[in-house]
Amino acid sequence: MAREADLSSSREGLLKHGAATLSRDSLDNYSSSSELDLDELELLEGQTSPRPRGEWSPSKRKKKDNGKEKEHKRAQKAKRKGGWLRSKICWVVSAILLGGLLVLLGGFQTFVYKKPQPMDGLSPPWYPSPKGGTYLQWQKSYLMAATLVSKMSLVEKVNVTTGTGWASDLCVGNTAGAFDAGFPPLCLQDGPLGIRFADHATAWPAGITVGATWNKDLMYKRGRGLGLEHRLKGVNVMLGPAMGPMGRMPGGGRNWEGFGSDPVLQGIAAAQTIRGIQDEGVIATAKHYIANEQEHFRQAREWELPNAISSNIDDRTLHELYLWPFADSIRAGVGSIMCSYNMVNSSSACSNSKLLNGVLKDELGFQGFVQSDWLAQRSGVASALAGLDMTMPGDGLIWADGQSLWGPRLTEAVLNGSVPIERINDMALRTVAVWYQLGQDNQTLFPIPLEGNPRPNFSSWTNDKMGHLHESTDDDTMVVVNNFTDVQGDGKNFHGRLAQEIAAEGTVLVKNKDNILPLSPSGGPEHARGRRRAKYNVGVFGEDAGPNPKGPNACADRSCNDFTLASGWGSGAVEFPFLTPPIEALESTFDLDQVQITQVLTNDLPNDWSAVHGTQDLCIVFITSDAGEGFASWNHITDRIDLYPQKGGDDLVKKVAASCANTIVIVHAVGAVILERWIDLPNIKAVVLANLPGEESGNALADVLFGRVDVSGRLPYTVGKSLSDYGPGGKIMSKPNGIAPQQDFKEGLLIDYRHFDANSITPRYEFGFGLSYTTFTFSDLNLKTLKPKTLLPSPRPNATVLPPTFSTLLPDPETAVFPAGFRKLKNYIYPYLDNSTIKPEPYPYPSGYNTPQPPSPAGGGEGGNPSLYDEHVSVSVNVTNTGKRTGKQVVQVYVSFPSDVTDVSTGRKIDFPVRVLRGFEKAEINATETTTVEVNLTRKDLSYWSVGRQNWVMPDGEFTVAVGASSRDLPLQGSW
Ligand code: NOJ
């Protein structure tokens, strides 16, 4: 297939200016209360919707039009006045019902509020917001930023903090800049596996595939490629990598955007990706902060509820599991963090002062800026006080209505004294400091957008050359918006080569009976190759082997599972410049003089298929399982409610295997898939879990199947025998348990393999598992103490640098008023006020606002107290390749904490998972050779989070360090 941009299919979906229509119910008129419960929900359902109980799946929502602008349309629709009912009749009925509801809410409060608070209560207050500019490694950038910010007027500072509105400019998120002071508009663009809505850019393997490589070097190189492409397209801030969801629920719709169900794997992969992106000068965004584990109810209104789900999580679990990769990201210098849609302990993640001010900015010493997920900001002043620095895309509670919670409201809030001027200074300063820190003041690398030369050089809203600069506004001027700049590299620097290498290394072989793999191009297993008299017959089965006749971008944001699957869907998906289907690579690799390929590229196979298509010597059968972001759905799916293959995959495999003695199954999937319906059938010789390979899917698969590379992917998640094996916490909450659904993370630290280990459940394939084409042994484990065991990290170091200071005088409100003759675009968000009548007034600050919090003892550096990263133990091991070919092995290091640990501060016994991954290295080893691999363990690796001390504690007692090839194949153990 030609490596040409195939955008024809997505062109059909180009946004027709102003053509949006309603697609999704909106509950704009519902009052918002996080304390209503299921009983009230039943009441609401009964009153407002003819929908029978239990039908809350997104399938019941209206099907959206396809096309590039789907999310934009949703935004347009949601802003329509009363857009949640279509007909006037419904209006009348709903008005009556709403009246009834209000009466109930107002008059029967005892009924409404009868249920207690959620189990884990509310998030504690943490004020005031720590200022940025406290570390040496950021000092220069902060000093330059301070000079620039001191030149900014109040409205310019507001411009830096507030997006211009959904689709108001060319990227999915845009700020307007501060031209007079010399600060440009910023373009923020998805996403984690490539540039969303862009042409001629690489569709990289998804995060989950990258996690499956366990290859730190490839993680960095992919980040570098992502960074370079974003920069060449004119993106300042890349909206990735994703490290939450972590994978608490194997069916989580967006798990595939991240790197696997373990904090250390996520943390290392995220940090390597960030280093790569930022080494190209692009600001990376660690997202989604935090505990955004499922799509159902993630966002207010999207799921027909007025509130988002609350992830209720205890302090220790937060620190040891979900926060871990964010800490690693901050330590890697990440410039931005995106707070998530969901609530955490009943406080919205983007207005949660404990999480933003306390944990991120104090304890983890985050020096960058916190941006909201798109419409995740749920309050104005409160979110500013809680530590949010930038609101995206600028719209407030409703998409694209031009009514920001900040913008002019923030200007007003500063002038009337409700947002302290120090806070807005810090908000602008943090963003400008990151811009300097990443070298974006270098105008050769980041040209300043000028009239006639807009940046970025592509538009998110059209695939045509000409388009609107301000799509969602009333400005109809057409200019060149797409330059079609090719950023994929060429020759030996063609990024597809790296994408292919990653996809191949992210492929996991879990079964290989009789060493049927690798195959020989002349047919059959490589070890049995030889010339035959008759042609060798290979049957290729399943839709997933073939290309989509409508092109790889036929479904908007890739939100369908049609033909070969190489990406999940949503904002984390991109336009494929091309997609090599497996069948094409198989046809070009098999020697067709010796091999006859029969293609049956459908999942709809008759039982007697061999009578129709002929007997096959070898059968390769392809199946899939897909999922994606909650704003879209396919076949009733966003999160996966079950983990079985989709589109009749199980039946397809069984039918093929029933008549084919040598069946190889290839699974393209967003995560774990239950294989139990056929895995033990004798004719199933090999099973390959190819995850989500991106544009080079077929070529990468052929590299593995034909042994052009060793198969070296290892599972970044557990493949259980059933969904219930993952425990109660592993199930998606698909029906809300209240009007603000409450999801208690009761399993604590025990997700994925930790749950299986703790409950002695045998998985089908354990976390970390994967076969190679060669064999390895481990020997000579050596644990060397680098630093002695001590209970606590060193005291928090004092700040060596003081944050810049600014005048605290409030500006004259007159300076914040729209300049005379200003041409306002409809829906565009400006920082200006209509008049200058604002005066400072007393403001009821949130409770706890006037109780300054003590600095966390776990803080004092980027990612936390620097002594947490001191290396205490060196683990070294010899790995020998005992086979006949070069191969790659992942050396995995797991730690078991001492038994009988009691926390001194609380007197409570501390329970630990059976073992936790704490480090890994991938080594390439020639046949018969031995390599020594070393992994060092830090204080943090050997500590637990003490809720009583609010610090990391290295317990006394004996640690077990186990080394091997997976979480259950650990031949070497030592004590420390
Ligand atoms: C919402 C998604 O959750 C986030 O990941 C993405 O970056 C924004 N939309 C912008 O598209």
Side-chain angles (χ1 to χ4, degrees):
M1 179 180 281
R3 284 183 176 144
E4 299 270 305
D6 178 8
L7 295 171
S8 52
S9 49
S10 55
R11 240 176 231 132
E12 73 202 26
L14 296 186
L15 184 69
K16 294 214 179 51
H17 204 44
T21 51
L22 183 69
S23 73
R24 208 175 259 215
D25 289 351
S26 151
L27 295 181
D28 296 350
N29 295 331
Y30 274 6
S31 69
S32 173
S33 162
S34 60
E35 289 148 318
L36 301 180
D37 63 16
L38 181 58
D39 296 337
E40 293 127 30
L41 185 67
E42 288 168 18
L43 183 72
L44 286 171
E45 282 185 58
Q47 286 185 330
T48 61
S49 164
R51 185 185 304 112
R53 266 204 87 195
E55 290 193 284
W56 285 93
S57 100
S59 61
K60 300 295 169 191
R61 294 176 287 164
K62 290 172 195 76
K63 187 131 181 54
K64 285 165 293 298
D65 308 325
N66 70 1
K68 190 173 178 177
E69 80 287 13
K70 175 163 51 177
E71 202 173 337
H72 176 73
K73 278 192 168 183
R74 175 183 57 143
Q76 292 286 352
K77 288 155 194 170
K79 76 176 179 175
R80 286 189 164 191
K81 195 177 166 208
W84 62 293
L85 286 175
R86 284 190 188 159
S87 71
K88 285 182 185 164
I89 297 170
C90 288
W91 260 109
V92 174
V93 172
S94 59
I96 295 166
L97 296 177
L98 197 64
L101 173 67
L102 289 174
V103 168
L104 281 168
L105 287 176
F108 299 100
Q109 291 210 349
T110 18
F111 173 72
V112 166
Y113 291 99
K114 70 186 177 205
K115 280 276 163 90
Q117 291 286 341
M119 191 185 74
D120 289 321
L122 306 170
S123 198
W126 208 107
Y127 298 102
S129 190
K131 289 183 183 157
T134 47
Y135 297 124
L136 216 49
Q137 55 274 36
W138 284 78
Q139 188 180 26
K140 203 167 146 222
S141 303
Y142 265 90
L143 286 175
M144 291 191 289
T147 308
L148 200 148
V149 170
S150 62
K151 290 186 208 146
M152 287 184 185
S153 62
L154 173 59
V155 286
E156 284 188 316
K157 290 173 192 168
V158 170
N159 256 359
V160 175
T161 67
T162 305
T164 57
W166 178 248
S168 285
D169 287 293
L170 297 175
C171 294
V172 297
N174 309 270
T175 58
F179 277 108
D180 289 347
F183 190 68
L186 298 181
C187 156
L188 297 83
Q189 191 73 2
D190 294 298
L193 64 78
I195 312 173
R196 186 183 184 199
F197 294 152
D199 58 279
H200 299 86
T202 304
W204 296 91
I208 200 69
T209 315
V210 178
T213 68
W214 297 65
N215 184 325
K216 295 177 187 174
D217 183 46
L218 290 181
M219 290 164 178
Y220 173 81
K221 284 184 175 149
R222 173 176 170 273
R224 196 86 200 234
L226 281 164
L228 176 63
E229 294 196 6
H230 278 82
R231 175 160 62 71
L232 294 177
K233 284 283 188 188
V235 175
N236 300 89
V237 183
M238 179 188 134
L239 302 174
M243 56 206 72
M246 169 80 69
R248 172 181 188 253
M249 289 152 279
R254 297 183 78 181
N255 292 356
W256 59 275
E257 292 185 42
F259 305 100
S261 309
D262 176 87
V264 170
L265 180 57
Q266 282 274 7
I268 289 174
Q272 289 296 85
T273 306
I274 287 163
R275 288 187 189 104
I277 296 165
Q278 298 203 153
D279 282 352
E280 287 293 339
V282 170
I283 300 165
T285 305
K287 69 185 188 182
H288 305 87
Y289 185 74
I290 194 166
N292 183 175
E293 289 294 312
Q294 65 166 46
E295 294 307 286
H296 281 76
F297 324 122
R298 65 170 185 161
Q299 186 181 6
R301 292 192 174 88
E302 184 179 70
W303 291 83
E304 306 179 9
L305 289 173
N307 301 296
I309 194 167
S310 177
S311 300
N312 299 326
I313 187 166
D314 67 87
D315 193 24
R316 181 170 171 217
T317 302
L318 180 87
H319 278 84
E320 291 186 36
L321 202 53
Y322 299 97
L323 190 63
W324 192 287
F326 289 96
D328 283 353
S329 301
I330 294 172
R331 198 166 155 73
V334 74
S336 185
I337 291 182
M338 184 189 289
C339 53
S340 52
Y341 283 126
N342 54 296
M343 296 196 271
V344 181
N345 298 342
S346 291
S347 168
S348 163
C350 288
S351 327
N352 191 315
S353 65
K354 168 71 183 167
L355 288 174
L356 303 184
N357 289 338
V359 176
L360 272 192
K361 292 186 176 175
D362 173 60
E363 185 185 320
L364 297 183
F366 178 53
Q367 300 293 295
F369 62 94
V370 179
Q371 59 171 298
S372 69
D373 198 343
W374 272 229
L375 260 69
Q377 186 194 24
R378 311 307 296 166
S379 59
V381 173
S383 59
L385 300 178
L388 183 69
D389 302 304
M390 184 186 279
T391 176
M392 277 294 147
D395 309 313
L397 299 172
I398 296 173
W399 288 86
D401 66 351
Q403 300 296 312
S404 184
L405 290 165
W406 283 0
R409 300 282 78 78
L410 182 57
T411 308
E412 189 180 335
V414 173
L415 290 172
N416 72 20
S418 39
V419 170
I421 187 140
E422 289 99 323
R423 185 72 266 274
I424 179 119
N425 284 337
D426 180 60
M427 288 152 81
L429 182 67
R430 282 173 173 272
T431 305
V432 178
V434 173
W435 183 76
Y436 276 119
Q437 182 83 351
L438 274 289
Q440 294 200 1
D441 53 325
N442 177 340
Q443 289 187 23
T444 313
L445 295 179
F446 290 88
I448 300 269
L450 296 171
E451 210 156 312
N453 178 24
R455 299 288 290 173
N457 53 27
F458 70 99
S459 169
S460 301
W461 319 117
T462 177
N463 292 331
D464 293 340
K465 184 172 179 187
M466 306 295 288
H468 300 115
L469 270 184
H470 309 294
E471 183 64 49
S472 63
T473 73
D474 52 357
D475 178 7
D476 275 332
T477 323
M478 301 287 277
V479 296
V480 174
V481 290
N482 279 313
N483 289 349
F484 306 114
T485 308
D486 193 331
V487 295
Q488 302 165 95
D490 48 24
K492 69 176 175 26
N493 292 325
F494 176 60
H495 298 170
R497 288 182 173 211
L498 178 59
Q500 182 174 333
E501 188 183 346
I502 297 168
E505 280 214 16
T507 299
V508 187
L509 177 65
V510 291
K511 180 173 181 181
N512 195 20
K513 205 167 141 199
D514 307 334
N515 290 331
I516 191 167
L517 292 178
L519 297 172
S520 157
S522 56
E526 191 186 67
H527 63 80
R529 74 169 167 250
R531 269 203 95 77
R532 299 178 190 82
R533 256 182 278 145
K535 277 202 171 182
Y536 190 82
N537 289 312
V538 175
V540 179
F541 299 86
E543 185 184 309
D544 178 50
N548 189 334
K550 294 185 190 153
N553 302 314
C555 306
D557 284 310
R558 315 296 76 79
S559 53
C560 65
N561 181 3
D562 290 341
F563 302 92
T564 199
L565 180 69
S567 162
W569 70 74
S571 62
V574 295
E575 307 298 308
F576 283 100
F578 61 89
L579 171 52
T580 319
I583 187 66
E584 188 182 300
L586 292 173
E587 279 180 321
S588 64
T589 312
F590 275 121
D591 174 356
L592 299 182
D593 288 339
Q594 300 189 59
V595 175
Q596 171 71 44
I597 298 181
T598 301
Q599 305 180 21
V600 193
L601 304 188
T602 168
N603 288 16
D604 202 6
L605 194 69
N607 285 332
D608 62 346
W609 60 266
S610 59
V612 184
H613 299 289
T615 308
Q616 306 297 325
D617 300 308
L618 176 81
C619 297
I620 310 178
V621 52
F622 288 80
I623 57 173
T624 57
S625 184
D626 200 2
E629 188 176 342
F631 72 78
S633 66
W634 166 79
N635 204 18
H636 307 190
I637 294 163
T638 52
D639 299 304
R640 290 182 300 159
I641 303 302
D642 71 57
L643 304 180
Y644 290 106
Q646 295 162 359
K647 302 191 96 167
D650 282 328
D651 282 350
L652 177 67
V653 172
K654 284 193 282 185
K655 280 183 198 167
V656 171
S659 304
C660 186
N662 293 309
T663 300
I664 297 171
V665 184
I666 314 291
V667 185
H668 284 126
V670 286
V673 173
I674 304 297
L675 311 170
E676 295 307 303
R677 289 174 175 160
W678 41 262
I679 188 75
D680 284 329
L681 293 177
N683 287 350
I684 306 274
K685 294 287 170 63
V687 178
V688 175
L689 305 183
N691 294 303
L692 297 172
E695 66 184 29
E696 293 282 2
S697 172
N699 292 330
L701 185 67
D703 284 345
V704 168
L705 293 183
F706 292 93
R708 295 193 290 240
V709 297
D710 184 26
V711 53
S712 66
R714 304 292 183 255
L715 286 174
Y717 45 74
T718 299
V719 176
K721 292 184 180 166
S722 70
L723 174 58
S724 51
D725 279 357
Y726 292 83
K731 295 210 170 91
I732 299 289
M733 180 194 279
S734 57
K735 291 178 189 158
N737 60 3
I739 203 161
Q742 301 294 314
Q743 190 165 46
D744 300 335
F745 287 31
K746 284 188 193 147
E747 71 293 334
L749 302 172
L750 303 181
I751 68 163
D752 200 81
Y753 68 92
R754 296 143 171 242
H755 168 81
F756 283 77
D757 290 347
N759 293 284
S760 305
I761 299 168
T762 307
R764 173 53 65 173
Y765 297 116
E766 73 272 16
F767 176 84
F769 174 74
L771 299 169
S772 171
Y773 289 148
T774 182
T775 45
F776 299 95
T777 56
F778 293 82
S779 62
D780 305 306
L781 174 66
N782 184 17
L783 304 183
K784 199 165 85 202
T785 300
L786 303 175
K787 274 193 159 219
K789 222 179 264 179
T790 51
L791 197 67
L792 293 173
S794 311
R796 174 179 172 138
N798 290 326
T800 41
V801 178
L802 291 177
T805 50
F806 299 88
S807 159
T808 50
L809 286 180
L810 286 181
D812 180 352
E814 207 50 62
T815 61
V817 172
F818 271 106
F822 190 93
R823 182 188 161 213
K824 291 186 214 173
L825 300 181
K826 190 163 174 252
N827 292 335
Y828 200 91
I829 295 165
Y830 299 102
Y832 298 111
L833 302 175
D834 288 323
N835 59 58
S836 60
T837 54
I838 314 285
K839 289 195 187 59
E841 287 167 22
Y843 183 76
Y845 287 103
S847 79
Y849 186 77
N850 294 317
T851 316
Q853 297 294 318
S856 165
E862 284 184 275
N865 188 330
S867 90
L868 291 172
Y869 297 94
D870 288 348
E871 289 171 345
H872 281 251
V873 187
S874 144
V875 181
S876 80
V877 68
N878 285 342
V879 190
T880 303
N881 180 344
T882 50
K884 294 199 180 102
R885 50 185 294 158
T886 300
K888 289 187 179 178
Q889 179 59 301
V890 179
V891 177
Q892 303 173 32
V893 178
Y894 292 82
V895 167
S896 302
F897 280 74
S899 45
D900 293 331
V901 173
T902 301
D903 187 81
V904 184
S905 61
T906 59
R908 292 224 183 102
K909 182 167 184 310
I910 303 295
D911 292 322
F912 292 95
V914 175
R915 66 183 69 85
V916 289
L917 178 76
R918 283 302 191 239
F920 61 87
E921 281 301 334
K922 193 169 198 176
E924 183 167 39
I925 311 170
N926 292 331
T928 72
E929 287 183 6
T930 298
T931 298
T932 304
V933 173
E934 195 176 320
V935 171
N936 291 345
L937 301 176
T938 64
R939 168 178 286 283
K940 192 174 169 193
D941 291 330
L942 300 162
S943 299
Y944 70 92
W945 177 255
S946 163
V947 176
R949 286 184 188 267
Q950 287 294 292
N951 204 349
W952 293 92
V953 170
M954 189 187 280
D956 207 15
E958 193 172 276
F959 287 83
T960 303
V961 178
V963 180
S966 81
S967 62
R968 291 197 166 201
D969 175 12
L970 297 164
L972 302 181
Q973 292 204 353
S975 308
W976 184 71

